[in-house]
Amino acid sequence: MTVIGKEGTVKLLLGNEAIARGAIEAGAYLVTGYPGTPSTEVIETLAAVAKDINMKVQWAVNEKVAFEVASGVAWTGLRAMATMKNAGLNVASDSVLSIAYSGTEGGLVLYVADDPATHAGMAEQDDRLFAKFAALPMLEPSDPQEAKEMVIEAFEISERNKVPVMLRSTTNTAHMIGNVVFGPVRKIDRVPTYSRDIRRYTKAGPAWCMEQHATLLANTKKAGKDADKFNLLEPTDSKVGVITAGAPWNLLKEAMIRHNLKISTLKIGVINPLPEEKIRKMLEKVDSVLILEELEPLIEDYVLKILGEMGKKVKVYGKIDGTTSPVGEFNQAIVENALSKVLGKDIVPPVDPERQKIIERAKSISIRRPITFCAGCPHMGTYISILRAMRKLKYGREDVIITGDIGCTILGMNPPFDACWTEVAMGASIGLGNGFERSGIKKPVIAAIGDSTFYHAGIPALIDAVWNQTKIVVAIMDNSIVAMTGHQPTPGSGFTATGESAKIVKAEEIARGCGVEHVVVVDPYDVEKTTEAFVEALRYNGPSVVVLRRLCAITAIRRKAIGKPLVIDAEECTGCMTCVKTLSCSALVPFEGKVKINPDVCIGCHICAAICPVKAIKEGTSHE
């Protein structure tokens, strides 16, 4: 129980684990969210101890629902937090922008984790801009200890000013490891109450909306002042200053220690509203200033605005002049190169030529491996069956548009399947497919979508397909888990975030409830039946749904729900490599001109046996 301990305990925690500890110390009643790297560990950490600390911890069907649930709890006077990654904030944004106007009673914290360098895919979205756009206070920690403290303070500030507070981290901060000193756990014993106040909780009229907007702006301004202790100004006699926020602060400290730099610094912890007074104090003392921030020049734009008002000439180094890039995350070399430019001297350590030779040699001999499915992944059976159905109907690879979606399903875009054509956002495979069909393009459309993604955002687009009688095949690849993000439960898993049993929400029942008349459920390990299911679906004149249900291979291994490894009869194997070329399964190993199966990797899915042209793959003992 990593985040459980007495006051004064010191533990090494991830940034996300520290945020979880902060929620515990703040006395949060409920924490909810949707799995999304790099934010996921907050709820996973809390879910593991929820029963011991008497906290409600839940995965929501999507981020919009998560924030609405958290807001409902906070409106009754209790404390709640919603967690999500940057892309998830887009999903929640409609409710966030509206709820911001109504404010809160209990503490309401929205934790969003941005992903510079897109380690987890999607866009390099800078949600500091969203905080400004939404007029919500935002705090940004630079290490795990500060992350914990900011969560506690965010709840206090939220309640004091009756405004939701955003907490932003990046992948570096969320997954950074550091010592965290545990504080006291606040016990909040409140009776939830809620009073009807349509002037505050509805948007029924422009006068009320503008009144709410004015209140929000005033409350956010006060919240910024309440959190000013997180803005740390350390002036020196130097005429060079550096302003930074978040993870780059640690890189700056490292550079200053390494090169014994005595420069003025301002670490900004309150991103919205920015600390104008401390920024002005910094600018009054320097002739040049470097802005280190990820991703957009938000602080830099504000500094330039203040300088314009001050009428003072200070050379500003940052993204606008090209000193740093708005793309990617910072590292030590980027920060030291930027400091070299500002200081007018080279402080970057020379490259060791021998080490550089080793690096270049490693690059030259590295082998590129295709990103494909795990051994036994049921999605392999799905894509093989789709491609076989296409061949049966005399379609070539370019004759059927297969729209992909977020999650493991999108790996079908890679060799050897080369199936998916698109990847946009959660649930967009169906909406895009509807658009392709309605454009009049003379190609069938298959929308591939995972079960969690379907529950998250695919249902409205499926209703749209039924409403407009769109001829589209929706392949719901139901592995009963949020596989790519870390194997969290879905509404179809049969259990909750904290392990309690739950009613299974079946995708096929939803599809029928949406009005889809052609709905088939198949096991993707059965390639023959699955192929026929897609042949029928492609022939059907209207929206059709094929649910492909088979447990994620990794989850099946963990539950010991796998078959015996298969073997290849060496006498019957012709060495045609059809299995290897068609599946690229890691259990299939080319050996002396033929193929062997690695029994430590194979889980007995039988997909390779279904495609072997000479039926050399079997159960039992090899004839070698």
Side-chain angles (χ1 to χ4, degrees):
M1 295 184 181
T2 313
V3 292
I4 298 296
K6 295 180 180 179
E7 182 178 357
T9 300
V10 180
K11 285 193 179 180
L12 206 59
L13 299 183
L14 286 174
N16 281 340
E17 291 173 330
I19 288 169
R21 174 65 192 188
I24 293 171
E25 291 186 16
Y29 175 82
L30 173 139
V31 179
T32 185
Y34 184 81
T37 306
S39 71
T40 306
E41 292 89 357
V42 174
I43 288 184
E44 289 185 329
T45 301
L46 290 171
V49 299
K51 295 174 184 176
D52 300 289
I53 61 177
N54 196 29
M55 179 187 288
K56 290 188 181 295
V57 182
Q58 303 170 349
W59 288 119
V61 71
N62 66 27
E63 296 84 358
K64 182 177 186 293
V65 172
F67 187 71
E68 290 162 355
V69 169
S71 298
V73 168
W75 281 1
T76 70
L78 305 180
R79 291 185 167 186
M81 175 191 282
T83 73
M84 57 199 67
K85 68 181 288 185
N86 53 342
L89 183 56
N90 300 335
V91 177
S93 61
D94 190 26
S95 292
V96 173
L97 292 167
S98 186
I99 287 168
Y101 271 38
S102 295
T104 186
E105 284 297 312
L108 177 57
V109 176
L110 170 56
Y111 171 54
V112 58
D114 283 351
D115 190 23
T118 58
H119 298 279
M122 307 307 293
E124 282 193 309
Q125 179 175 315
D126 189 340
D127 283 312
R128 298 178 308 158
L129 300 176
F130 184 93
K132 187 175 177 62
F133 167 56
L136 284 173
M138 173 181 273
L139 308 180
E140 181 174 9
S142 59
D143 60 45
Q145 178 67 39
E146 190 175 45
K148 189 208 76 163
E149 298 301 330
M150 280 189 174
V151 171
I152 298 166
E153 193 64 24
F155 275 109
E156 294 292 333
I157 291 170
S158 175
E159 284 191 358
R160 195 179 307 133
N161 296 285
K162 296 187 180 296
V163 63
V165 175
M166 296 183 70
L167 181 76
R168 183 239 193 186
S169 77
T170 61
T171 302
N172 265 336
T173 310
H175 292 163
M176 179 190 301
I177 297 177
N179 280 332
V180 175
V181 181
F182 287 9
V185 174
R186 180 173 177 181
K187 297 296 182 183
I188 299 178
D189 187 15
R190 296 176 184 166
V191 176
T193 60
Y194 180 69
S195 300
R196 185 173 184 266
D197 184 353
I198 60 173
R199 189 183 188 102
R200 176 181 179 186
Y201 293 114
T202 74
K203 304 292 177 286
W208 290 358
C209 289
M210 289 187 290
E211 181 180 279
Q212 292 171 11
H213 189 194
T215 301
L216 170 61
L217 293 173
N219 289 346
T220 294
K221 188 175 182 179
K222 288 189 290 183
K225 291 180 179 179
D226 284 353
D228 189 57
K229 68 179 182 181
F230 294 117
N231 301 312
L232 304 178
L233 175 61
E234 297 181 4
T236 66
D237 293 332
S238 173
K239 292 298 181 180
V240 174
V242 181
I243 302 175
T244 186
W249 168 244
N250 301 296
L251 302 173
L252 174 63
K253 285 194 297 183
E254 175 71 22
M256 291 175 67
I257 293 169
R258 184 185 296 183
H259 304 291
N260 194 29
L261 301 178
K262 306 295 183 184
I263 54 180
S264 297
T265 62
L266 171 57
K267 185 188 84 69
I268 294 177
V270 182
I271 298 302
N272 192 52
L274 286 166
E276 180 175 345
E277 185 178 339
K278 287 182 176 176
I279 292 174
R280 283 181 181 271
K281 285 182 179 179
M282 159 75 84
L283 296 176
E284 285 169 357
K285 295 181 177 294
V286 300
D287 294 331
S288 59
V289 63
L290 170 65
I291 316 295
L292 296 173
E293 57 183 324
E294 299 171 332
L295 295 154
E296 301 297 327
L298 180 140
I299 298 172
E300 187 175 354
D301 283 342
Y302 195 68
V303 165
L304 291 170
K305 169 184 172 290
I306 291 176
L307 283 172
E309 294 173 356
M310 293 172 65
K312 184 184 179 188
K313 287 188 177 180
V314 174
K315 175 62 178 172
V316 179
Y317 297 86
K319 299 181 188 298
I320 295 173
D321 75 332
T323 299
T324 61
S325 171
V327 176
E329 64 186 356
F330 284 6
N331 57 35
Q332 202 64 47
I334 289 172
V335 170
E336 291 185 355
N337 276 314
L339 286 167
S340 296
K341 184 175 179 180
V342 177
L343 296 169
K345 62 178 181 179
D346 189 4
I347 66 168
V348 181
V351 176
D352 180 349
E354 292 303 316
R355 184 171 181 273
Q356 194 61 33
K357 284 181 184 177
I358 293 171
I359 292 172
E360 294 303 322
R361 184 171 179 274
K363 287 180 180 178
S364 67
I365 62 174
S366 64
I367 301 171
R368 286 183 61 85
R369 297 180 61 190
I371 302 174
T372 189
F373 299 107
C374 303
C377 176
H379 296 348
M380 289 193 297
T382 295
Y383 283 115
I384 286 296
S385 300
I386 288 173
L387 297 174
R388 285 191 160 198
M390 287 164 56
R391 286 195 296 273
K392 277 197 170 190
L393 295 172
K394 311 299 183 186
Y395 291 125
R397 285 291 184 99
E398 299 297 315
D399 296 331
V400 177
I401 297 173
I402 303 174
T403 55
D405 222 304
I406 308 301
C408 293
T409 55
I410 195 56
L411 296 180
M413 70 182 176
N414 295 325
F417 306 100
D418 297 311
C420 296
W421 294 29
T422 66
E423 180 195 25
V424 174
M426 298 287 278
S429 61
I430 305 175
L432 283 172
N434 292 345
F436 284 131
E437 197 275 343
R438 288 175 209 163
S439 73
I441 196 168
K442 301 301 180 184
K443 293 182 178 182
V445 178
I446 299 174
I449 186 168
D451 54 324
S452 178
T453 312
F454 176 69
Y455 298 126
H456 179 287
I459 299 169
L462 182 61
I463 294 172
D464 182 84
V466 173
W467 188 17
N468 292 283
Q469 276 304 290
T470 309
K471 189 181 186 306
I472 182 175
V473 178
V474 178
I476 303 175
M477 297 156 79
D478 184 358
N479 57 16
S480 303
I481 213 78
V482 188
M484 184 170 277
T485 309
H487 302 89
Q488 297 83 14
T490 77
S493 299
F495 59 96
T496 67
T498 50
E500 288 92 353
S501 61
K503 181 176 176 60
I504 294 174
V505 181
K506 293 186 177 181
E508 63 269 26
E509 293 178 0
I510 292 175
R512 293 187 183 106
C514 290
V516 182
E517 295 178 359
H518 184 89
V519 180
V520 181
V521 182
V522 291
D523 179 353
Y525 279 2
D526 189 333
V527 174
E528 184 177 342
K529 285 187 179 178
T530 304
T531 299
E532 286 307 310
F534 278 112
V535 168
E536 291 176 12
L538 284 165
R539 285 174 171 162
Y540 186 76
N541 189 26
S544 60
V545 169
V546 180
V547 178
L548 303 120
R549 181 164 292 129
R550 168 64 71 158
L551 191 62
C552 162
I554 293 177
T555 302
I557 291 170
R558 290 172 178 170
R559 297 181 187 176
K560 298 187 167 114
I562 59 175
K564 293 181 180 179
L566 302 183
V567 295
I568 295 181
D569 191 315
E571 294 179 2
E572 294 184 22
C573 177
T574 63
C576 68
M577 300 293 165
T578 297
C579 56
V580 173
K581 294 175 183 177
T582 305
L583 294 178
S584 191
C585 177
S586 56
L588 297 167
V589 184
F591 180 74
E592 295 181 352
K594 295 190 178 185
V595 181
K596 294 183 73 175
I597 289 178
N598 182 345
D600 295 327
V601 178
C602 177
I603 67 169
C605 72
H606 285 76
I607 297 174
C608 58
I611 65 171
C612 176
V614 294
K615 305 300 179 187
I617 304 176
K618 306 172 181 178
E619 294 180 344
T621 306
S622 169
H623 292 288
E624 288 184 287

